[in-house]
Structures are given as C-alpha cells and as structure tokens.
Amino acid sequence: MTGPHEEVRELLGAWALDALMPGDETAVVRHVGECEHCAAEATRLRATVRHLDGPAPPGPASDPDPGPRGLSLAL
Amino acid sequence: MVPVEPSAERPGTSDLPSGAARVPVDAELHRRLVYGEEAALAEAYAAYGVLVHRVATRVTRDRTAAEDVTQEVFAHLWTRPYTFDARRGSLRGWLSMLAHRRAVDWVRGEERHRKAAHADEMSLRAVPAPGPSPDEAILEQERSLLLHSALARLPLPQQQVVHLAYFAGRTYRQAAVELGIPEGTAKTRLRTALRTLAETLADPPLRGDHP
C-alpha cells in the first residue's frame, strides 16, 4: 500500500519532463502544494530540465526546428 | 545516392504512432537493414529523421552541424546496422542517443577550438580587445552542455527513457510500452536520471573540464 507521497514522488521526473499521463497532473499539483520535500524536488528537477534546454536561440523564433533537408548517402 | 525526404510525421508531436504514420516494427526493419535493403533505410529516415535532426539541433544549435550529425547517424545505421540490438530498446531511442552523443562531441570539439583560438589571441595582445564579456546566455549554454554531457554518461536504460520523454515527447506510459518495461520502472528511471543531472549542476566538474 503506497500513499500519495510515494506515488507522487515517483512521478516527479516524468512531471519535470512533461511526460505525465492526463490525470496525473492534478494529483501531483495537490500533493506538491502540501509536501515541502516534494515541492523542493519538483522545483529542482524542473530547473534541471530548463537548464538542459539551454538559452533561447537568438534571432527570430519563427523557425525553431526546421527539420532535416533529406538524406543523401553515397551507397 | 538515395535522396529521401523527411515525412510530415513528427515523432515528438504525434500522440501515438498509428494508422498511416505507423512506425515500422524495429526488428523487421533492422533485419532488412542488415540485408542492405535501401528501402529500409528510407523508411527509418522517414520515421526518425525529424527526431534525429531535432536532437542534433537542440544540442549543437547549429544548422550545418545538425545536418552533418543527421547524415552521420543514418550513415552509421546503414553501414553498421548490427550495432543496434532490438532486444535492448527501440530504434527510436537508439538513433536519438546516437545523434545526441555525436552532437555533444561536436560541441565539445567546437569549444576546444574556441578556447585554443582565444588563447592564441590573448598571447598576441597585452590588452584584451574590448568585447562582450561572458554574459548569461553563454553561461546558460555552458550549463546546458554540462548537462548534455552528463546525460550522455548516464546508464543506457536511463538515457533511453529520457530520450523518449524529452526529445520524442512520449509520456512515461508510451515510453514503457515502447521499451517493454513496467510503467513504474519508466517513472523511476526518469526521476533517477534527472536527480543525477541535478547533482551535476550542484557540483559541476572544473570549468572547461568536460570528460
């Protein structure tokens, strides 16, 4: 039998990466509002993901991910 | 030459691979690649080209480098398909990790060049030229590289789940299904991986030292 603390704690990585299932978010937000340990970890993990993203690219943000041009391999 | 256009399917944005945009079954695709079937390479590129390019772009932040990394990754898949083991994860995760590793190597190489060039310049001038001092964006970029280097050093099973969630936009459930692992394991791996990365930030290696 696991309580909301254990369940939510296990979800914090997925939460920080926006990889939750629909419906999980509510439980996470509710518990994090009450548990300072989980709140601290959530903040820390989310900050880590933001640092992984790095700075916003300079220049126009209209073309953030132009996609590859195509594959041309000399076979 | 095999010119192949990337498909419109964006692995990071589609919810579930289904219907027309169905991702080819790894083991079968892999078998055909090992046999040297060019159509299999085209299918792999159509399914995963956008993801591989996205990973390379996020890490290198350089259009040309991202293109080069993408070509290298698929050249690797074509010439050494046997280095992929379908029993140890998905082709999506494997290609993503391959792109990531090469992109991190590229950035490290660039950094070495830049530092060497800077050292040369400094030895030629007694007074440093006035120029922009390292600003927050550069520090952010260094922090990002530090984290990406640390990500590339995580145990492969952890890396793979992070790749599926972070780069390919999968939920923990989708990642678990794709990798054939329990959901709880996927969640735990995501959390453990991020905690390790967070520690890297709290206690970074010496400046300029990216092992």
Side-chain angles (χ1 to χ4, degrees):
Chain A
M1 178 75 191
T2 56
H5 176 69
E6 282 74 20
E7 274 172 32
V8 167
R9 197 175 52 181
E10 280 309 298
L11 280 171
L12 291 178
W15 173 81
L17 286 159
D18 275 329
L20 290 181
M21 294 301 295
D24 290 334
E25 181 91 27
T26 319
V28 172
V29 169
R30 187 183 304 131
H31 177 69
V32 163
E34 296 164 350
C35 173
E36 101 187 43
H37 283 288
C38 285
E41 180 169 335
T43 306
R44 190 157 179 246
L45 298 190
R46 190 45 80 78
T48 304
V49 173
R50 256 203 322 274
H51 288 311
L52 200 57
D53 294 339
S62 56
D63 194 17
D65 190 2
R69 279 197 295 270
L71 186 64
S72 51
L73 300 175
L75 301 179
Chain B
M1 300 285 276
V2 184
V4 185
E5 290 306 314
S7 79
E9 199 256 346
R10 298 170 60 90
T13 51
S14 66
D15 231 2
L16 275 171
S18 62
R22 227 176 73 91
V23 181
V25 178
D26 284 355
E28 172 62 12
L29 189 58
H30 183 233
R31 189 189 61 76
R32 289 164 58 207
L33 282 164
V34 170
Y35 275 104
E37 195 188 307
E38 287 177 18
L41 180 64
E43 280 174 42
Y45 185 73
Y48 307 121
V50 169
L51 171 66
V52 165
H53 188 262
R54 179 186 309 145
V55 172
T57 304
R58 287 242 193 121
V59 178
T60 64
R61 298 168 169 270
D62 182 287
R63 200 175 276 239
T64 312
E67 276 297 330
D68 289 349
V69 166
T70 305
Q71 300 290 328
E72 282 170 25
V73 164
F74 285 95
H76 181 103
L77 178 66
W78 178 247
T79 53
R80 286 183 287 266
Y82 44 83
T83 50
F84 168 68
D85 182 350
R87 288 163 306 179
R88 290 203 189 157
S90 66
L91 189 55
R92 187 201 317 278
W94 188 78
L95 289 171
S96 184
M97 290 194 289
L98 190 55
H100 187 256
R101 212 157 49 229
R102 284 177 183 251
V104 168
D105 285 347
W106 182 86
V107 180
R108 281 189 200 142
E110 281 297 293
E111 211 175 50
R112 272 197 296 276
H113 277 301
R114 191 168 51 75
K115 281 186 178 148
H118 185 64
D120 278 353
E121 204 178 294
M122 290 308 275
S123 67
L124 292 174
R125 311 163 186 243
V127 182
S133 57
D135 60 8
E136 190 52 33
I138 291 175
L139 291 177
E140 258 298 291
Q141 207 150 328
E142 286 192 359
R143 223 159 13 214
S144 172
L145 176 60
L146 196 69
L147 282 177
H148 280 288
S149 300
L151 171 58
R153 286 194 304 269
L154 289 179
L156 294 182
Q158 283 181 31
Q159 269 189 62
Q160 184 142 235
V161 194
V162 171
H163 271 259
L164 292 180
Y166 182 66
F167 292 112
R170 294 300 190 254
T171 65
Y172 65 83
R173 183 170 297 166
Q174 289 170 329
V177 169
E178 179 161 331
L179 299 174
I181 57 176
E183 269 179 27
T185 307
K187 289 183 210 170
T188 304
R189 284 182 189 169
L190 289 176
R191 176 165 177 246
T192 309
L194 281 189
R195 284 167 64 95
T196 308
L197 295 187
E199 275 160 32
T200 309
L201 272 190
D203 186 20
L206 292 173
R207 245 181 100 81
D209 174 32
H210 301 299

